[in-house]
Amino acid sequence: MHAIVRDWRAAELDEADRALCAYAEKLTLQPTTMDATDIQQLRAAGWDDTAIHDATQVIGFFNYINRVADGLGVEREHFIENWGEG
């Protein structure tokens, strides 16, 4: 599990999960470059439209809430351990 957090490319994931991670990364880091090809790649990897919709909602929510927290200066909760330190 920790490999996914550090670098999803190094983790042992199947094709469908790799496609979803690539999609999530692009939507997070380069949202203005998203196009129909991104959805087609997910479909080709086995994701249906409902799953793509749901994944996009979750990815978007996490991006949104992190930006809200950053914008308001919300500090990290101290009781949460970093991956690999627990």
Side-chain angles (χ1 to χ4, degrees), residues 61-75:
F61 174 77
F62 274 91
N63 287 322
Y64 161 77
I65 204 66
N66 283 327
R67 278 156 188 77
V68 168
D70 290 344
L72 296 175
V74 175
E75 292 187 29

Side-chain angles (χ1 to χ4, degrees), residues 23-38:
Y23 177 81
E25 180 178 82
K26 183 176 178 184
L27 184 56
T28 299
L29 300 176
Q30 302 168 330
T32 61
T33 67
M34 301 298 290
D35 59 30
T37 305
D38 299 300

Side-chain angles (χ1 to χ4, degrees), residues 7-8 10 19-21 36-37 39-42 49 53 56 69-70:
D7 181 5
W8 63 267
L20 185 58
C21 285
T37 305
I39 300 298
Q40 292 167 354
Q41 289 172 345
L42 288 175
D49 287 348
H53 172 270
T56 303
D70 290 344

